[in-house]
Amino acid sequence: DGGITQSPKYLFRKEGQNVTLSCEQNLNHDAMYWYRQDPGQGLRLIYYSQIVNDFQKGDIAEGYSVSREKKESFPLTVTSAQKNPTAFYLCASSMGQSNEKLFFGSGTQLSVL
Amino acid sequence: RKEVEQDPGPFNVPEGATVAFNCTYSNSASQSFFWYRQDCRKEPKLLMSVYSSGNEDGRFTAQLNRASQYISLLIRDSKLSDSATYLCVVYNNAGNMLTFGGGTRLMVKP
């Protein structure tokens, strides 16, 4: 079955540590996105990539980094510079030039120890 | 002012009730509109698109008012399983991006 897979489901970060969230899709979608969701709030865009080897900052990119070396994969690294990383992280993808319809992964809950 | 605004709720309603949510958007050039449903700690799932003429899907009706820049979602005969957060989502062709509202939480009680 085609879909988008995020791992791990739960992740814990120690002070000063970098952690990487995985996102893989086999939908052959060109565009991929990372969103952050805090309790009781909507989704905020961290980074997005419209094509392999290219990505752009979203609204809250500080403290995060991404790479897009393969079409299928768009990992997100939460660096030590992100002082408040506890949140629910959602990866999504969309096909073609129009980003109207998003397909979401099941999310990763990141917490700080 | 936020680009997409929703009343966070929660809306507490009894089973069988009719409930409506509104969502306002600030960018008059917005092209497409959607309602997503999100269960706690799960990914959002597309509930329905919102067309200019309004559209209905079973117990759910969505409407768009471009003049006043808001969209609405009406749920009739509420079920316990309708309890969730409903996200209003607006698409802007110019930026080719989606903007999410903060969500409205619905709790349907027996």
Side-chain angles (χ1 to χ4, degrees), chain A residues 33 35 37 39-43 45 48 50 88 90 97-102 104-106 109, chain B residues 8 31-32 34 36 38 41-46 87 91 93 95-98 100-103:
Chain A
Y33 311 81
Y35 289 92
Q37 187 175 33
Q41 298 193 30
L43 280 62
L45 185 63
Y48 64 102
Q50 303 276 32
F88 188 55
L90 284 158
Q97 292 300 309
S98 168
N99 299 323
E100 265 194 20
K101 187 172 181 184
L102 293 183
F104 283 95
S106 57
Q109 174 64 47
Chain B
Q31 299 291 322
S32 306
F34 309 90
Y36 277 71
Q38 185 178 26
R41 286 291 175 255
K42 298 284 180 77
E43 72 274 25
K45 293 184 179 176
L46 180 63
L87 301 170
Y91 176 71
N93 267 18
N96 196 18
M97 294 299 292
L98 290 171
F100 287 79

Side-chain angles (χ1 to χ4, degrees), chain B residues 82-108:
Chain B
D82 293 334
S83 298
T85 296
Y86 292 84
L87 301 170
C88 170
V89 185
V90 174
Y91 176 71
N92 186 326
N93 267 18
N96 196 18
M97 294 299 292
L98 290 171
T99 301
F100 287 79
T104 297
R105 189 171 170 210
L106 171 66
M107 298 180 69
V108 181

Side-chain angles (χ1 to χ4, degrees), chain A residues 29-30 32 49 51-53 67-71 73-74:
Chain A
H29 285 174
D30 291 312
M32 296 186 75
S49 167
I51 197 167
V52 175
N53 291 324
S67 63
R68 188 84 188 278
E69 296 175 5
K70 298 186 299 180
K71 189 175 186 178
S73 178
F74 191 41

Side-chain angles (χ1 to χ4, degrees), chain A:
Chain A
D1 283 338
I4 181 164
T5 303
Q6 284 186 243
S7 62
K9 193 169 177 63
Y10 299 96
L11 187 58
F12 296 91
R13 193 192 90 164
K14 293 180 182 177
E15 201 75 37
Q17 186 183 37
N18 291 356
V19 292
T20 298
L21 284 60
S22 169
C23 179
E24 304 277 330
Q25 54 100 357
N26 60 5
L27 300 166
N28 200 33
H29 285 174
D30 291 312
M32 296 186 75
Y33 311 81
W34 274 106
Y35 289 92
R36 170 182 172 139
Q37 187 175 33
D38 292 281
Q41 298 193 30
L43 280 62
R44 292 186 290 168
L45 185 63
I46 305 172
Y47 267 98
Y48 64 102
S49 167
Q50 303 276 32
I51 197 167
V52 175
N53 291 324
D54 188 40
F55 48 83
Q56 285 78 40
K57 294 182 179 180
D59 301 320
I60 54 165
E62 187 173 348
Y64 300 97
S65 66
V66 292
S67 63
R68 188 84 188 278
E69 296 175 5
K70 298 186 299 180
K71 189 175 186 178
E72 302 80 20
S73 178
F74 191 41
L76 173 74
T77 296
V78 183
T79 75
S80 55
Q82 173 50 247
K83 297 306 179 189
N84 184 23
T86 297
F88 188 55
Y89 291 85
L90 284 158
C91 179
S93 68
S94 65
M95 64 184 297
Q97 292 300 309
S98 168
N99 299 323
E100 265 194 20
K101 187 172 181 184
L102 293 183
F103 293 77
F104 283 95
S106 57
T108 294
Q109 174 64 47
L110 175 62
S111 303
V112 177
L113 290 176

